[in-house]
Every structure is written in structure tokens, then in C-alpha cells.
Amino acid sequence: VRGMRAPLPALLWLCLAPLPAPAGAELRVRVRLPGGQVTEESLQADSGADCVSLELRAADGALVTLTADFRQEVKIFRALILGELERGQSQFQALCFVTRLHRNEIIPSESMAKLRQKNPRTVRQAEEVRGLEHLSMDVAVNFSKGAQLSPHIHNVCAEAREAIYTREEDVKFWLEKGVDGSMFEVLPQTSDVPELQRCRLCLDRWKPCICSYSLSIEWYPCMLKYCKSRDAGGKVSSYKCGIRSCQKGYTFDYYVPQKQLCLWDEET
């Protein structure tokens, strides 16, 4: 909805009440997954810590979380993937992918904390589908030192201590900001180790390989909407009147010491 005369749909609205919003707020929305399933997504905002988080259960049962740390310019994706017990895996496997947070990727924490839902039973679908992002996660992050990068890593990635990944290009950005480089370790790549295969092509379950994992944030407030009003003197002014929702998918490639840690990435 772009014009000020058009009726706004049943989206999440920014609460413009004069009372201040709490520093931390949680909202639950119903969203439709690609296969038609409906799931509940939790959105939390903490304007005091200047961060937001979104969590939903994917169609395959994985619990996917996105945490945006605006203060440190860090984005943390966590996936809790159900294990294949009959194939020797544990009950679940945890992965964390840490990347740089760019401006205007998601609405600010202060605005997120003010969101209120008009029709809680409505099933939401994103207004805009943003392109799939394919990321090569070629650096490991030391969990015990990760708090220097973002204090949220300690809580969000606790189950993924040995599986926290980032990109060399993001590391360069953080090093320029003064982050301690000792928390990063460059991982083996196919350019360095020619025999290193993609896990989907690797026949030996105990050999190292390059794993691929995909996730999608099905619905999130990516932009603020502004409406226009005209006063008695004819002067036009803008005000926040809602949000635009987006969907975005990600594919992460990263090194694993054995294919057993990447059983989902197989040829079908």
C-alpha cells in the first residue's frame, strides 16, 4: 500500500500511542511456509540492547533463529536441526552462522518493540521476496571469545560451540573496528585441498567435506511505511504508519570434518 488514500491491510502496525513502549517486547504472528503449512513465528525486540530476534520452526522441523545486533553490526543465524538417530546422529544438531548486519536490512529495534498486531489469527505472507543469498562461510569463530564480537553469541550459539561460522570478508570489516582477530580460524577450502569434495558427492561418511545448509526467514519487518498528512494550512508531513514485510532465503557453504555432520546434504 503506497498511497495515503489506499486502505492499509491487516498487517502489523506501529503503535503510535503516547505511552512509551517497553524496552523488551515480544510478538507472535502466524506465517505460511512454502509447502502451505502454517507456523507461528516469534519476534522479540530489546531497544535497550538495540537488538531484535525472530524464531520459527521450518517445514522440516528445524528451529531457525535470526538475531540482529545493531550495536555491533552483527547478524546471527542459528539452526537447531533434528538429528537422524537411526544413522548415529544425536537428537539435534546446532549450527550458527555469523555475518555482518547492513543498514536497512530489518527495521530498527525501537520500531520493532512498538509493533502491535491488529488481527492475531491472520496468516501472514511476505509482501516482498528478496533474492536468495549464497554465502561461503570460510572462517570458524571461537565460542569462548565470541562475546567480543557480539554478546548475543554466548546465549544464541551455546549449543553450537564447535559449529560457529563466518566469512573472511566480514572478519576484515570487524577487525577494522578493533575486534580481536584471535577468535577467528580460517577453514580448509577446496582451493587449498583439491580432494575436498562437496558433502553431497562424498561417499565416505567419515571424510571431511564442504557442507551446504539452507534456511529461510519467511516473514520479517524489513522496512517502515510512511503515510502523508496535510494540516489546515496545506503543509504536508510524513509519519510512520506501518511496516513492509519481506521473505529471504540463505544458503551457507562451510567445512565439516566428517560428512556425518551433514547428512541432509545428499544427492536425491
Side-chain angles (χ1 to χ4, degrees):
V1 179
R2 296 177 182 173
M4 65 179 180
R5 295 172 184 267
L8 288 172
L11 290 172
L12 292 179
W13 277 62
L14 287 175
C15 177
L16 302 179
L19 294 175
E26 180 177 5
L27 195 67
R28 292 186 178 274
V29 298
R30 301 176 76 217
V31 299
R32 191 176 303 281
L33 299 175
Q37 295 173 252
V38 174
T39 188
E40 190 174 73
E41 183 174 306
S42 169
L43 296 87
Q44 293 184 315
D46 187 336
S47 54
D50 201 9
C51 74
V52 302
S53 67
L54 300 88
E55 185 170 87
L56 77 157
R57 193 166 295 280
D60 63 1
L63 190 64
V64 174
T65 305
L66 164 62
T67 300
D69 181 348
F70 293 94
R71 189 169 292 166
Q72 297 298 111
E73 296 179 86
V74 169
K75 213 169 46 224
I76 307 168
F77 298 91
R78 184 192 66 185
L80 298 180
I81 306 159
L82 296 176
E84 298 185 45
L85 302 180
E86 69 280 4
R87 301 179 71 182
Q89 289 191 320
S90 56
Q91 189 172 5
F92 70 88
Q93 187 174 338
L95 301 172
C96 263
F97 303 106
V98 185
T99 65
R100 177 184 174 184
L101 176 65
H102 294 273
R103 292 186 63 185
N104 301 322
E105 284 192 70
I106 191 168
I107 68 171
S109 60
E110 183 179 356
S111 297
M112 184 81 85
K114 294 178 181 178
L115 291 180
R116 297 295 180 267
Q117 192 163 198
K118 213 176 179 188
N119 297 303
R121 300 305 301 168
T122 300
V123 178
R124 317 285 171 182
Q125 283 190 290
E127 298 169 271
E128 178 185 337
V129 178
R130 294 190 167 177
L132 174 70
E133 198 168 347
H134 202 136
L135 306 172
S136 178
M137 311 301 283
D138 46 11
V139 176
V141 180
N142 185 303
F143 174 76
S144 62
K145 299 180 179 180
Q148 300 174 48
L149 181 59
S150 169
H152 304 286
I153 289 177
H154 186 266
N155 292 327
V156 176
C157 301
E159 296 93 349
R161 293 168 180 260
E162 305 300 324
I164 308 174
Y165 306 96
T166 189
R167 302 187 297 168
E168 194 168 359
E169 61 186 88
D170 292 329
V171 169
K172 290 177 181 177
F173 169 76
W174 292 321
L175 291 178
E176 290 175 359
K177 291 184 64 179
V179 170
D180 180 9
S182 67
M183 76 175 72
F184 304 113
E185 179 188 353
V186 177
L187 294 167
Q189 299 299 306
T190 49
S191 56
D192 307 317
V193 187
E195 64 271 20
L196 198 59
Q197 293 181 297
R198 293 272 176 178
C199 290
R200 68 175 66 96
L201 302 174
C202 184
L203 300 177
D204 188 341
R205 208 188 289 181
W206 307 106
K207 284 187 67 174
C209 53
I210 300 297
C211 185
S212 183
Y213 184 76
S214 297
L215 59 82
S216 178
I217 305 299
E218 295 300 333
W219 191 98
Y220 66 99
C222 52
M223 295 174 62
L224 294 173
K225 285 184 177 180
Y226 290 86
C227 294
K228 293 181 179 180
S229 63
R230 194 185 301 272
D231 62 20
K235 184 179 179 181
V236 176
S237 60
S238 297
Y239 62 96
K240 298 172 186 176
C241 59
I243 58 97
R244 183 171 182 80
S245 59
C246 290
Q247 178 271 332
K248 186 169 178 61
Y250 301 84
T251 294
F252 303 96
D253 292 339
Y254 60 100
Y255 170 87
V256 289
Q258 56 191 42
K259 182 182 177 174
Q260 179 73 4
L261 298 172
C262 185
L263 294 182
W264 58 81
D265 190 12
E266 294 182 328
E267 282 193 316
T268 54

